[in-house]
Amino acid sequence: MKNLGLPHRPGRRRSATAGCVLLLPLTLACVAGCSDDDTAAPPVASPAATASGARCVTGALPAAQGADAGPAATGTYTLDSGERTARRTTPYKARKKDRSALVVSGSGQLSTRDSKIGKKGSTTSVAASLDHGLNAAALARDGGRLTLSGGKLVTTGKGATAVFATGEDARATLSANSIRTSGTAARGVAASHGGVLGLTYVQIATAGAQAPPVAAGPGGARVTVSGGTMTSAGCGSPGVRTAGDVAVKGTLFDLANSEAFTVESGGSLALRDVRATAAAGGVVLRGEDTASFTMTGGSLQVAEGDLFSVRGADADIALAGHAELKAKGGALLRVRDQGRVTFGADDERLKGDVLVSDGSATLDLTGSSKLDGAVAGASVKLGAGTRWSVAGNSTVKGLELRSGASVAGTIDGNGHTVTYDRAASPGLGGKTYRLTGGGTLRPA
């Protein structure tokens, strides 16, 4: 076991406004009221609009770099071999740039209980902080194991992520912790390059721009989250941003100036019984590789922007379990930048338009699913028991009615015209059909 330095003695605790509980919906006033004196105020949302109507843009991830990229991470307290259980409430602090309060690596294993871990100071390399955890408050790397039970983690400064796991076999496990970060690119928790994170009933609040509460990648990672609350106040700070594999169950998200979730190339996000509210868009899947999103039960409410946006990725979206989806004025699904998506819904109620401006989309409805909206440029598959209530004149690439489904029993025209491609819709025989409620279905 190798120890470099000792934990700092606990300093005088700053006062905080009483009564702030991290439950949805969380207001910005409550975030400010719960902050330490030196916590920066939440940034104001950018007025620039994205193509989906959302106010804030989440920046692209930096390119994954080599394992030794960036300045070397150092820690006020380090452990690179052996197993240690810290005394209860032991404090750990770091104030210098690029320095972590805790670094556990190699065969080192450290467990803490009810500790307060603090990090002040900014990174000298945002890319190294996002990629390898430079300047994180607590860092598990290259095989190190870190277990944090209870306690608080507070960071101020650019690139000061609270907990980071990076490198093969690196693992950080958190339970019943409270995390607050306030700097730009200061995520709540993050993993990369094979690192693994496990969170149970953790509360995370981030205030800086480009600072998602949960992040995975670049370079692949695995993160599981069970319970807890996740909030962000900064522009471009989705609840989860992943280029790895993330699974979330029973967690509440409130995102004040961002889309709800972002899935990058090679990433996957699986939600079960998750409730999320977001001010600037729903789920964004983007990049030049595969990206997948599944949602079972729960709810997603979007104040402005589209519910689902696919930008360049080869995406797969699957909804089930009566997930509740609501958006004010945005599309249900928008595809651009040569994106490709299969959008499956089983026993779901979907409202909003499906718009493909550059790319392709297949909307596959099964069970008792119902779509209320117009379609432009997508293919549609309808099963027995499904319905499409057409909300505007529509043009579909292909229309497939599965066994048991019929034009009259499946599509309500509401006075609108739906045109279809003959070659891509062989089951329709190139015919024109009258639709229930008025309107026609005809070949283009």
Side-chain angles (χ1 to χ4, degrees):
M1 179 175 70
K2 182 180 179 182
N3 296 327
L4 300 179
L6 296 173
H8 291 285
R9 293 181 181 274
R12 186 176 62 183
R13 298 180 65 182
R14 298 181 184 272
S15 62
T17 302
C20 285
V21 180
L22 295 177
L23 296 175
L24 291 180
L26 180 69
T27 64
L28 294 181
C30 187
V31 171
C34 290
S35 299
D36 286 345
D37 297 344
D38 53 9
T39 299
V44 177
S46 166
T50 67
S52 67
R55 292 176 294 161
C56 288
V57 179
T58 300
L61 283 170
Q65 301 178 41
D68 58 350
T74 61
T76 303
Y77 176 87
T78 67
L79 179 67
D80 56 23
S81 65
E83 183 175 353
R84 179 174 178 186
T85 300
R87 205 178 302 179
R88 186 172 182 176
T89 71
T90 299
Y92 300 88
K93 295 182 180 179
R95 296 179 181 273
K96 294 183 179 180
K97 62 184 179 181
D98 295 342
R99 176 165 290 187
S100 297
L102 287 173
V103 176
V104 181
S105 62
S107 60
Q109 299 182 42
L110 175 67
S111 298
T112 72
R113 185 177 179 190
D114 298 331
S115 290
K116 184 171 183 179
I117 301 172
K119 165 63 192 173
K120 291 185 178 181
S122 295
T123 182
T124 59
S125 172
V126 172
S129 293
L130 297 177
D131 201 359
H132 297 286
L134 181 69
N135 205 53
L139 175 62
R141 68 180 184 190
D142 303 327
R145 302 295 178 95
L146 182 59
T147 301
L148 307 175
S149 300
K152 298 180 180 179
L153 296 96
V154 179
T155 78
T156 59
K158 181 170 61 178
T161 295
V163 181
F164 205 114
T166 184
E168 292 298 327
D169 297 322
R171 183 184 298 269
T173 303
L174 293 77
S175 60
N177 311 89
S178 172
I179 293 174
R180 286 190 293 113
T181 73
S182 61
T184 299
R187 287 85 57 85
V189 298
S192 69
H193 301 292
V196 178
L197 283 171
L199 283 69
T200 305
Y201 297 112
V202 176
Q203 295 180 343
I204 300 177
T206 68
Q210 308 295 325
V214 178
R222 289 186 291 123
V223 180
T224 58
V225 180
S226 179
T229 62
M230 310 286 165
T231 67
S232 73
C235 190
S237 301
V240 176
R241 180 177 185 175
T242 178
D245 299 321
V246 178
V248 185
K249 180 179 180 181
T251 303
L252 308 181
F253 289 87
D254 189 15
L255 302 318
N257 284 302
S258 178
E259 70 268 26
F261 306 105
T262 300
V263 184
E264 307 281 357
S265 288
S268 69
L269 175 59
L271 307 181
R272 179 175 290 273
D273 299 328
V274 166
R275 292 168 53 199
T277 60
V283 182
V284 176
L285 299 95
R286 67 183 185 184
E288 299 178 352
D289 204 342
T290 60
S292 70
F293 174 84
T294 63
M295 182 174 183
T296 304
S299 64
L300 173 60
Q301 299 186 41
V302 176
E304 64 178 57
D306 303 325
L307 275 166
F308 295 93
S309 177
V310 177
R311 306 173 187 175
D314 187 356
D316 185 80
I317 298 171
L319 308 175
H322 303 288
E324 182 182 358
L325 306 173
K326 292 183 179 180
K328 295 181 179 179
L332 169 66
L333 172 65
R334 188 185 302 269
V335 182
R336 59 192 180 105
D337 300 334
Q338 297 184 343
R340 302 164 303 282
V341 59
T342 298
F343 187 109
D346 186 36
D347 292 334
E348 294 297 320
R349 297 292 181 267
L350 306 174
K351 186 172 184 179
D353 296 339
V354 176
L355 307 174
V356 181
S357 59
D358 180 19
S360 64
T362 298
L363 187 65
D364 190 354
L365 305 185
T366 57
S368 60
S369 292
K370 179 180 179 180
L371 169 66
D372 183 359
V375 175
S379 296
V380 178
K381 297 181 179 181
L382 301 171
T386 66
R387 294 200 73 84
W388 174 18
S389 180
V390 184
N393 291 339
S394 299
T395 302
V396 298
K397 289 289 187 179
L399 179 60
E400 178 183 340
L401 301 176
R402 291 197 176 95
S403 177
S406 65
V407 172
T410 306
I411 304 175
D412 297 323
N414 301 311
H416 302 294
T417 298
V418 179
T419 59
Y420 67 90
D421 183 274
R422 292 174 184 261
S425 312
L428 298 179
K431 299 178 182 179
T432 297
Y433 301 82
R434 291 186 177 275
L435 297 177
T436 303
T440 59
L441 170 67
R442 61 179 179 79

